[in-house]
mmCIF file of all heavy atoms in Angstrom:
data_model
loop_
_atom_site.group_PDB
_atom_site.id
_atom_site.type_symbol
_atom_site.label_atom_id
_atom_site.label_comp_id
_atom_site.label_asym_id
_atom_site.label_seq_id
_atom_site.Cartn_x
_atom_site.Cartn_y
_atom_site.Cartn_z
ATOM 1 N N ALA A 1 0.838 -1.212 0.000
ATOM 2 C CA ALA A 1 0.000 0.000 0.000
ATOM 3 C C ALA A 1 0.868 1.255 0.000
ATOM 4 O O ALA A 1 0.594 2.222 -0.726
ATOM 5 C CB ALA A 1 -0.928 -0.009 1.211
ATOM 6 N N ALA A 2 1.940 1.237 0.815
ATOM 7 C CA ALA A 2 2.858 2.386 0.866
ATOM 8 C C ALA A 2 3.536 2.588 -0.482
ATOM 9 O O ALA A 2 3.692 3.725 -0.955
ATOM 10 C CB ALA A 2 3.897 2.172 1.964
ATOM 11 N N GLU A 3 3.926 1.490 -1.109
ATOM 12 C CA GLU A 3 4.572 1.544 -2.422
ATOM 13 C C GLU A 3 3.603 2.078 -3.483
ATOM 14 O O GLU A 3 3.981 2.890 -4.327
ATOM 15 C CB GLU A 3 5.054 0.135 -2.810
ATOM 16 C CG GLU A 3 5.994 0.091 -4.007
ATOM 17 C CD GLU A 3 7.255 0.930 -3.828
ATOM 18 O OE1 GLU A 3 7.841 0.920 -2.725
ATOM 19 O OE2 GLU A 3 7.634 1.611 -4.806
ATOM 20 N N GLU A 4 2.352 1.627 -3.402
ATOM 21 C CA GLU A 4 1.321 2.076 -4.355
ATOM 22 C C GLU A 4 1.082 3.579 -4.227
ATOM 23 O O GLU A 4 1.000 4.294 -5.226
ATOM 24 C CB GLU A 4 0.018 1.298 -4.101
ATOM 25 C CG GLU A 4 -1.142 1.664 -5.005
ATOM 26 C CD GLU A 4 -1.012 1.159 -6.434
ATOM 27 O OE1 GLU A 4 0.036 0.577 -6.792
ATOM 28 O OE2 GLU A 4 -1.957 1.365 -7.223
ATOM 29 N N CYS A 5 0.981 4.067 -2.992
ATOM 30 C CA CYS A 5 0.778 5.504 -2.767
ATOM 31 C C CYS A 5 1.969 6.318 -3.277
ATOM 32 O O CYS A 5 1.804 7.389 -3.869
ATOM 33 C CB CYS A 5 0.543 5.780 -1.277
ATOM 34 S SG CYS A 5 -1.064 5.240 -0.688
ATOM 35 N N LYS A 6 3.176 5.777 -3.055
ATOM 36 C CA LYS A 6 4.391 6.459 -3.522
ATOM 37 C C LYS A 6 4.418 6.524 -5.042
ATOM 38 O O LYS A 6 4.735 7.565 -5.634
ATOM 39 C CB LYS A 6 5.618 5.708 -2.988
ATOM 40 C CG LYS A 6 6.929 6.438 -3.226
ATOM 41 C CD LYS A 6 8.093 5.661 -2.617
ATOM 42 C CE LYS A 6 9.425 6.352 -2.903
ATOM 43 N NZ LYS A 6 10.566 5.576 -2.382
ATOM 44 N N LYS A 7 4.069 5.413 -5.664
ATOM 45 C CA LYS A 7 4.069 5.336 -7.127
ATOM 46 C C LYS A 7 3.061 6.327 -7.734
ATOM 47 O O LYS A 7 3.330 6.984 -8.728
ATOM 48 C CB LYS A 7 3.715 3.901 -7.560
ATOM 49 C CG LYS A 7 3.766 3.666 -9.069
ATOM 50 C CD LYS A 7 3.473 2.219 -9.420
ATOM 51 C CE LYS A 7 1.988 1.951 -9.377
ATOM 52 N NZ LYS A 7 1.627 0.583 -9.797
ATOM 53 N N LEU A 8 1.879 6.448 -7.072
ATOM 54 C CA LEU A 8 0.817 7.331 -7.577
ATOM 55 C C LEU A 8 0.962 8.764 -7.063
ATOM 56 O O LEU A 8 0.161 9.631 -7.416
ATOM 57 C CB LEU A 8 -0.551 6.781 -7.173
ATOM 58 C CG LEU A 8 -0.928 5.411 -7.757
ATOM 59 C CD1 LEU A 8 -2.173 4.866 -7.086
ATOM 60 C CD2 LEU A 8 -1.140 5.519 -9.269
ATOM 61 N N ASN A 9 1.975 8.991 -6.193
ATOM 62 C CA ASN A 9 2.224 10.314 -5.612
ATOM 63 C C ASN A 9 0.986 10.845 -4.883
ATOM 64 O O ASN A 9 0.524 11.966 -5.096
ATOM 65 C CB ASN A 9 2.668 11.314 -6.694
ATOM 66 C CG ASN A 9 3.230 12.591 -6.079
ATOM 67 O OD1 ASN A 9 3.777 12.559 -4.974
ATOM 68 N ND2 ASN A 9 3.078 13.707 -6.782
ATOM 69 N N VAL A 10 0.426 9.990 -4.020
ATOM 70 C CA VAL A 10 -0.783 10.351 -3.286
ATOM 71 C C VAL A 10 -0.724 9.715 -1.899
ATOM 72 O O VAL A 10 0.015 8.749 -1.681
ATOM 73 C CB VAL A 10 -2.043 9.875 -4.063
ATOM 74 C CG1 VAL A 10 -2.178 8.360 -4.018
ATOM 75 C CG2 VAL A 10 -3.293 10.556 -3.564
ATOM 76 N N LYS A 11 -1.456 10.262 -0.952
ATOM 77 C CA LYS A 11 -1.521 9.689 0.399
ATOM 78 C C LYS A 11 -2.917 9.168 0.673
ATOM 79 O O LYS A 11 -3.898 9.697 0.135
ATOM 80 C CB LYS A 11 -1.193 10.759 1.452
ATOM 81 C CG LYS A 11 0.260 11.175 1.487
ATOM 82 C CD LYS A 11 0.461 12.214 2.585
ATOM 83 C CE LYS A 11 1.920 12.653 2.662
ATOM 84 N NZ LYS A 11 2.104 13.705 3.690
ATOM 85 N N SER A 12 -3.007 8.164 1.541
ATOM 86 C CA SER A 12 -4.314 7.735 2.044
ATOM 87 C C SER A 12 -4.911 8.910 2.820
ATOM 88 O O SER A 12 -4.209 9.602 3.554
ATOM 89 C CB SER A 12 -4.162 6.533 2.966
ATOM 90 O OG SER A 12 -5.338 6.342 3.729
ATOM 91 N N ALA A 13 -6.223 9.120 2.648
ATOM 92 C CA ALA A 13 -6.888 10.223 3.365
ATOM 93 C C ALA A 13 -7.345 9.814 4.754
ATOM 94 O O ALA A 13 -7.760 10.663 5.549
ATOM 95 C CB ALA A 13 -8.094 10.715 2.552
ATOM 96 N N LEU A 14 -7.268 8.519 5.076
ATOM 97 C CA LEU A 14 -7.837 8.038 6.339
ATOM 98 C C LEU A 14 -7.189 8.651 7.588
ATOM 99 O O LEU A 14 -7.902 9.018 8.523
ATOM 100 C CB LEU A 14 -7.783 6.507 6.400
ATOM 101 C CG LEU A 14 -8.686 5.785 5.390
ATOM 102 C CD1 LEU A 14 -8.577 4.284 5.566
ATOM 103 C CD2 LEU A 14 -10.135 6.230 5.514
ATOM 104 N N PRO A 15 -5.846 8.773 7.661
ATOM 105 C CA PRO A 15 -5.283 9.423 8.849
ATOM 106 C C PRO A 15 -5.832 10.830 9.057
ATOM 107 O O PRO A 15 -6.177 11.214 10.180
ATOM 108 C CB PRO A 15 -3.778 9.441 8.558
ATOM 109 C CG PRO A 15 -3.571 8.278 7.636
ATOM 110 C CD PRO A 15 -4.787 8.248 6.768
ATOM 111 N N LYS A 16 -5.958 11.587 7.969
ATOM 112 C CA LYS A 16 -6.488 12.958 8.061
ATOM 113 C C LYS A 16 -7.941 12.935 8.541
ATOM 114 O O LYS A 16 -8.366 13.788 9.329
ATOM 115 C CB LYS A 16 -6.384 13.653 6.704
ATOM 116 C CG LYS A 16 -6.786 15.119 6.755
ATOM 117 C CD LYS A 16 -6.612 15.793 5.408
ATOM 118 C CE LYS A 16 -6.997 17.273 5.495
ATOM 119 N NZ LYS A 16 -6.873 17.950 4.193
ATOM 120 N N VAL A 17 -8.714 11.952 8.053
ATOM 121 C CA VAL A 17 -10.120 11.821 8.446
ATOM 122 C C VAL A 17 -10.227 11.644 9.961
ATOM 123 O O VAL A 17 -11.015 12.320 10.636
ATOM 124 C CB VAL A 17 -10.778 10.625 7.704
ATOM 125 C CG1 VAL A 17 -12.119 10.250 8.334
ATOM 126 C CG2 VAL A 17 -10.968 10.959 6.228
ATOM 127 N N ILE A 18 -9.424 10.743 10.518
ATOM 128 C CA ILE A 18 -9.478 10.446 11.952
ATOM 129 C C ILE A 18 -8.997 11.639 12.783
ATOM 130 O O ILE A 18 -9.626 12.034 13.769
ATOM 131 C CB ILE A 18 -8.628 9.200 12.286
ATOM 132 C CG1 ILE A 18 -9.176 7.961 11.559
ATOM 133 C CG2 ILE A 18 -8.585 8.951 13.796
ATOM 134 C CD1 ILE A 18 -10.567 7.556 11.932
ATOM 135 N N ILE A 19 -7.877 12.244 12.373
ATOM 136 C CA ILE A 19 -7.311 13.376 13.118
ATOM 137 C C ILE A 19 -8.271 14.575 13.091
ATOM 138 O O ILE A 19 -8.458 15.258 14.100
ATOM 139 C CB ILE A 19 -5.921 13.753 12.544
ATOM 140 C CG1 ILE A 19 -4.917 12.639 12.878
ATOM 141 C CG2 ILE A 19 -5.436 15.081 13.101
ATOM 142 C CD1 ILE A 19 -3.636 12.694 12.069
ATOM 143 N N THR A 20 -8.896 14.816 11.933
ATOM 144 C CA THR A 20 -9.833 15.942 11.805
ATOM 145 C C THR A 20 -11.040 15.746 12.694
ATOM 146 O O THR A 20 -11.534 16.691 13.323
ATOM 147 C CB THR A 20 -10.268 16.122 10.335
ATOM 148 O OG1 THR A 20 -9.110 16.298 9.515
ATOM 149 C CG2 THR A 20 -11.184 17.325 10.165
ATOM 150 N N MET A 21 -11.532 14.495 12.783
ATOM 151 C CA MET A 21 -12.685 14.236 13.648
ATOM 152 C C MET A 21 -12.327 14.442 15.116
ATOM 153 O O MET A 21 -13.101 15.009 15.880
ATOM 154 C CB MET A 21 -13.207 12.815 13.414
ATOM 155 C CG MET A 21 -14.407 12.464 14.306
ATOM 156 S SD MET A 21 -15.757 13.685 14.246
ATOM 157 C CE MET A 21 -16.548 13.259 12.707
ATOM 158 N N ARG A 22 -11.135 14.008 15.523
ATOM 159 C CA ARG A 22 -10.721 14.243 16.918
ATOM 160 C C ARG A 22 -10.671 15.738 17.223
ATOM 161 O O ARG A 22 -11.074 16.179 18.299
ATOM 162 C CB ARG A 22 -9.345 13.608 17.168
ATOM 163 C CG ARG A 22 -9.451 12.193 17.709
ATOM 164 C CD ARG A 22 -8.103 11.546 17.802
ATOM 165 N NE ARG A 22 -7.187 12.185 18.715
ATOM 166 C CZ ARG A 22 -7.019 11.852 19.998
ATOM 167 N NH1 ARG A 22 -7.741 10.903 20.528
ATOM 168 N NH2 ARG A 22 -6.124 12.459 20.744
ATOM 169 N N LYS A 23 -10.198 16.501 16.253
ATOM 170 C CA LYS A 23 -10.132 17.951 16.438
ATOM 171 C C LYS A 23 -11.545 18.537 16.541
ATOM 172 O O LYS A 23 -11.817 19.403 17.372
ATOM 173 C CB LYS A 23 -9.372 18.575 15.250
ATOM 174 C CG LYS A 23 -9.023 20.034 15.458
ATOM 175 C CD LYS A 23 -8.174 20.560 14.321
ATOM 176 C CE LYS A 23 -7.884 22.042 14.496
ATOM 177 N NZ LYS A 23 -7.137 22.603 13.356
ATOM 178 N N ALA A 24 -12.455 18.041 15.692
ATOM 179 C CA ALA A 24 -13.845 18.519 15.712
ATOM 180 C C ALA A 24 -14.513 18.208 17.053
ATOM 181 O O ALA A 24 -15.343 18.971 17.542
ATOM 182 C CB ALA A 24 -14.644 17.886 14.567
ATOM 183 N N LEU A 25 -14.133 17.091 17.657
ATOM 184 C CA LEU A 25 -14.676 16.697 18.964
ATOM 185 C C LEU A 25 -13.937 17.367 20.123
ATOM 186 O O LEU A 25 -14.258 17.130 21.280
ATOM 187 C CB LEU A 25 -14.580 15.168 19.125
ATOM 188 C CG LEU A 25 -15.617 14.345 18.353
ATOM 189 C CD1 LEU A 25 -15.209 12.875 18.316
ATOM 190 C CD2 LEU A 25 -17.007 14.498 18.961
ATOM 191 N N ASN A 26 -12.929 18.183 19.785
ATOM 192 C CA ASN A 26 -12.117 18.885 20.784
ATOM 193 C C ASN A 26 -11.398 17.910 21.718
ATOM 194 O O ASN A 26 -11.321 18.101 22.923
ATOM 195 C CB ASN A 26 -12.986 19.858 21.603
ATOM 196 C CG ASN A 26 -12.147 20.892 22.349
ATOM 197 O OD1 ASN A 26 -11.137 21.367 21.833
ATOM 198 N ND2 ASN A 26 -12.548 21.217 23.558
ATOM 199 N N LEU A 27 -10.877 16.832 21.112
ATOM 200 C CA LEU A 27 -10.159 15.816 21.885
ATOM 201 C C LEU A 27 -8.651 16.022 21.782
ATOM 202 O O LEU A 27 -8.145 16.448 20.743
ATOM 203 C CB LEU A 27 -10.511 14.413 21.369
ATOM 204 C CG LEU A 27 -11.961 13.962 21.547
ATOM 205 C CD1 LEU A 27 -12.204 12.634 20.846
ATOM 206 C CD2 LEU A 27 -12.331 13.852 23.019
ATOM 207 N N GLY A 28 -7.976 15.716 22.854
ATOM 208 C CA GLY A 28 -6.519 15.759 22.875
ATOM 209 C C GLY A 28 -5.982 14.499 23.531
ATOM 210 O O GLY A 28 -6.741 13.566 23.816
ATOM 211 N N SER A 29 -4.682 14.456 23.789
ATOM 212 C CA SER A 29 -4.068 13.253 24.362
ATOM 213 C C SER A 29 -3.052 13.615 25.432
ATOM 214 O O SER A 29 -2.414 14.659 25.368
ATOM 215 C CB SER A 29 -3.323 12.464 23.281
ATOM 216 O OG SER A 29 -4.196 11.980 22.298
ATOM 217 N N PHE A 30 -2.917 12.718 26.396
ATOM 218 C CA PHE A 30 -1.731 12.730 27.241
ATOM 219 C C PHE A 30 -1.171 11.315 27.242
ATOM 220 O O PHE A 30 -1.833 10.365 26.808
ATOM 221 C CB PHE A 30 -2.041 13.238 28.663
ATOM 222 C CG PHE A 30 -2.829 12.303 29.535
ATOM 223 C CD1 PHE A 30 -2.193 11.369 30.353
ATOM 224 C CD2 PHE A 30 -4.221 12.358 29.563
ATOM 225 C CE1 PHE A 30 -2.918 10.518 31.171
ATOM 226 C CE2 PHE A 30 -4.957 11.512 30.386
ATOM 227 C CZ PHE A 30 -4.304 10.582 31.189
ATOM 228 N N PHE A 31 0.081 11.188 27.699
ATOM 229 C CA PHE A 31 0.768 9.895 27.631
ATOM 230 C C PHE A 31 1.229 9.454 29.018
ATOM 231 O O PHE A 31 1.556 10.289 29.870
ATOM 232 C CB PHE A 31 2.005 9.989 26.724
ATOM 233 C CG PHE A 31 1.696 10.411 25.320
ATOM 234 C CD1 PHE A 31 1.744 11.759 24.946
ATOM 235 C CD2 PHE A 31 1.354 9.474 24.348
ATOM 236 C CE1 PHE A 31 1.464 12.152 23.651
ATOM 237 C CE2 PHE A 31 1.073 9.860 23.051
ATOM 238 C CZ PHE A 31 1.126 11.199 22.692
ATOM 239 N N THR A 32 1.250 8.140 29.221
ATOM 240 C CA THR A 32 1.983 7.557 30.343
ATOM 241 C C THR A 32 3.059 6.683 29.706
ATOM 242 O O THR A 32 2.787 5.971 28.724
ATOM 243 C CB THR A 32 1.063 6.733 31.267
ATOM 244 O OG1 THR A 32 0.292 5.801 30.491
ATOM 245 C CG2 THR A 32 0.119 7.635 32.040
ATOM 246 N N THR A 33 4.272 6.776 30.229
ATOM 247 C CA THR A 33 5.407 6.146 29.542
ATOM 248 C C THR A 33 6.271 5.329 30.492
ATOM 249 O O THR A 33 6.234 5.515 31.706
ATOM 250 C CB THR A 33 6.289 7.222 28.873
ATOM 251 O OG1 THR A 33 6.736 8.128 29.896
ATOM 252 C CG2 THR A 33 5.531 7.995 27.812
ATOM 253 N N GLY A 34 7.048 4.446 29.893
ATOM 254 C CA GLY A 34 7.989 3.627 30.651
ATOM 255 C C GLY A 34 8.359 2.401 29.841
ATOM 256 O O GLY A 34 7.826 2.179 28.749
ATOM 257 N N THR A 35 9.262 1.594 30.367
ATOM 258 C CA THR A 35 9.691 0.407 29.612
ATOM 259 C C THR A 35 8.645 -0.701 29.653
ATOM 260 O O THR A 35 8.664 -1.595 28.823
ATOM 261 C CB THR A 35 11.031 -0.124 30.170
ATOM 262 O OG1 THR A 35 10.897 -0.293 31.587
ATOM 263 C CG2 THR A 35 12.162 0.854 29.884
ATOM 264 N N ASP A 36 7.731 -0.638 30.648
ATOM 265 C CA ASP A 36 6.654 -1.639 30.688
ATOM 266 C C ASP A 36 5.559 -1.305 29.676
ATOM 267 O O ASP A 36 5.062 -2.182 28.983
ATOM 268 C CB ASP A 36 6.031 -1.710 32.090
ATOM 269 C CG ASP A 36 6.893 -2.530 33.037
ATOM 270 O OD1 ASP A 36 7.692 -3.346 32.546
ATOM 271 O OD2 ASP A 36 6.778 -2.328 34.261
ATOM 272 N N GLU A 37 5.178 -0.018 29.630
ATOM 273 C CA GLU A 37 4.072 0.362 28.737
ATOM 274 C C GLU A 37 4.170 1.820 28.320
ATOM 275 O O GLU A 37 4.521 2.686 29.119
ATOM 276 C CB GLU A 37 2.728 0.128 29.447
ATOM 277 C CG GLU A 37 1.523 0.498 28.601
ATOM 278 C CD GLU A 37 0.206 0.313 29.348
ATOM 279 O OE1 GLU A 37 -0.195 1.223 30.104
ATOM 280 O OE2 GLU A 37 -0.420 -0.762 29.169
ATOM 281 N N VAL A 38 3.855 2.072 27.049
ATOM 282 C CA VAL A 38 3.593 3.427 26.561
ATOM 283 C C VAL A 38 2.128 3.438 26.146
ATOM 284 O O VAL A 38 1.697 2.608 25.348
ATOM 285 C CB VAL A 38 4.498 3.801 25.365
ATOM 286 C CG1 VAL A 38 4.005 5.078 24.696
ATOM 287 C CG2 VAL A 38 5.949 3.975 25.816
ATOM 288 N N ARG A 39 1.358 4.361 26.750
ATOM 289 C CA ARG A 39 -0.063 4.412 26.435
ATOM 290 C C ARG A 39 -0.485 5.854 26.154
ATOM 291 O O ARG A 39 -0.042 6.787 26.826
ATOM 292 C CB ARG A 39 -0.899 3.858 27.589
ATOM 293 C CG ARG A 39 -2.398 3.777 27.265
ATOM 294 C CD ARG A 39 -3.206 3.328 28.478
ATOM 295 N NE ARG A 39 -3.045 1.915 28.767
ATOM 296 C CZ ARG A 39 -4.028 1.011 28.673
ATOM 297 N NH1 ARG A 39 -5.226 1.384 28.258
ATOM 298 N NH2 ARG A 39 -3.809 -0.236 28.989
ATOM 299 N N GLN A 40 -1.326 6.004 25.141
ATOM 300 C CA GLN A 40 -1.871 7.313 24.791
ATOM 301 C C GLN A 40 -3.332 7.359 25.256
ATOM 302 O O GLN A 40 -4.139 6.515 24.865
ATOM 303 C CB GLN A 40 -1.799 7.532 23.273
ATOM 304 C CG GLN A 40 -2.284 8.903 22.821
ATOM 305 C CD GLN A 40 -2.004 9.140 21.342
ATOM 306 O OE1 GLN A 40 -1.516 8.268 20.650
ATOM 307 N NE2 GLN A 40 -2.328 10.316 20.856
ATOM 308 N N TRP A 41 -3.645 8.333 26.115
ATOM 309 C CA TRP A 41 -4.986 8.466 26.680
ATOM 310 C C TRP A 41 -5.711 9.624 26.014
ATOM 311 O O TRP A 41 -5.118 10.661 25.743
ATOM 312 C CB TRP A 41 -4.904 8.719 28.184
ATOM 313 C CG TRP A 41 -4.145 7.675 28.938
ATOM 314 C CD1 TRP A 41 -2.803 7.641 29.183
ATOM 315 C CD2 TRP A 41 -4.683 6.492 29.553
ATOM 316 N NE1 TRP A 41 -2.471 6.520 29.911
ATOM 317 C CE2 TRP A 41 -3.613 5.795 30.158
ATOM 318 C CE3 TRP A 41 -5.979 5.955 29.665
ATOM 319 C CZ2 TRP A 41 -3.785 4.605 30.855
ATOM 320 C CZ3 TRP A 41 -6.150 4.771 30.361
ATOM 321 C CH2 TRP A 41 -5.065 4.109 30.940
ATOM 322 N N THR A 42 -7.010 9.455 25.798
ATOM 323 C CA THR A 42 -7.814 10.493 25.147
ATOM 324 C C THR A 42 -8.589 11.291 26.184
ATOM 325 O O THR A 42 -9.238 10.714 27.063
ATOM 326 C CB THR A 42 -8.815 9.863 24.158
ATOM 327 O OG1 THR A 42 -8.079 9.180 23.136
ATOM 328 C CG2 THR A 42 -9.695 10.916 23.510
ATOM 329 N N ILE A 43 -8.499 12.625 26.087
ATOM 330 C CA ILE A 43 -9.276 13.508 26.963
ATOM 331 C C ILE A 43 -9.831 14.666 26.147
ATOM 332 O O ILE A 43 -9.355 14.959 25.056
ATOM 333 C CB ILE A 43 -8.428 14.083 28.123
ATOM 334 C CG1 ILE A 43 -7.138 14.743 27.574
ATOM 335 C CG2 ILE A 43 -8.132 13.036 29.161
ATOM 336 C CD1 ILE A 43 -6.393 15.571 28.608
ATOM 337 N N ARG A 44 -10.837 15.316 26.685
ATOM 338 C CA ARG A 44 -11.347 16.554 26.103
ATOM 339 C C ARG A 44 -10.349 17.663 26.415
ATOM 340 O O ARG A 44 -9.841 17.731 27.549
ATOM 341 C CB ARG A 44 -12.683 16.850 26.772
ATOM 342 C CG ARG A 44 -13.807 17.436 25.932
ATOM 343 C CD ARG A 44 -14.341 16.569 24.853
ATOM 344 N NE ARG A 44 -15.246 17.295 23.986
ATOM 345 C CZ ARG A 44 -16.550 17.382 24.181
ATOM 346 N NH1 ARG A 44 -17.101 16.824 25.237
ATOM 347 N NH2 ARG A 44 -17.305 18.024 23.328
ATOM 348 N N ASN A 45 -10.001 18.490 25.456
ATOM 349 C CA ASN A 45 -9.114 19.631 25.726
ATOM 350 C C ASN A 45 -9.733 20.490 26.820
ATOM 351 O O ASN A 45 -10.947 20.741 26.810
ATOM 352 C CB ASN A 45 -8.897 20.454 24.451
ATOM 353 C CG ASN A 45 -8.028 19.719 23.454
ATOM 354 O OD1 ASN A 45 -7.079 19.040 23.822
ATOM 355 N ND2 ASN A 45 -8.365 19.820 22.169
ATOM 356 N N GLY A 46 -8.915 20.941 27.750
ATOM 357 C CA GLY A 46 -9.423 21.729 28.876
ATOM 358 C C GLY A 46 -9.654 20.898 30.123
ATOM 359 O O GLY A 46 -10.049 21.427 31.163
ATOM 360 N N THR A 47 -9.378 19.581 30.056
ATOM 361 C CA THR A 47 -9.568 18.692 31.201
ATOM 362 C C THR A 47 -8.507 18.957 32.273
ATOM 363 O O THR A 47 -7.331 19.101 31.959
ATOM 364 C CB THR A 47 -9.490 17.215 30.749
ATOM 365 O OG1 THR A 47 -10.542 16.965 29.818
ATOM 366 C CG2 THR A 47 -9.627 16.251 31.913
#
């Protein structure tokens, strides 16, 4: 799929679709990190 997009000089629109919807919902992220686990948590901006 990556090779096909490169050959056609185009990107999949799906990442943009998901990111734009999160922005429309006013969602953001914080992280908890370490060698056991890296996790991305979803919160409403302003939390």
Side-chain angles (χ1 to χ4, degrees):
E3 192 58 41
E4 180 73 355
C5 288
K6 189 178 177 183
K7 184 177 79 176
L8 297 169
N9 193 29
V10 71
K11 289 181 180 178
S12 164
L14 293 181
K16 186 177 181 181
V17 166
I18 298 298
I19 291 164
T20 304
M21 179 52 78
R22 267 174 63 93
K23 191 175 177 184
L25 284 166
N26 197 37
L27 295 173
S29 296
F30 72 90
F31 301 93
T32 51
T33 58
T35 52
D36 281 338
E37 180 182 84
V38 168
R39 185 185 286 246
Q40 183 172 4
W41 304 88
T42 298
I43 52 168
R44 218 65 189 270
N45 289 322
T47 298

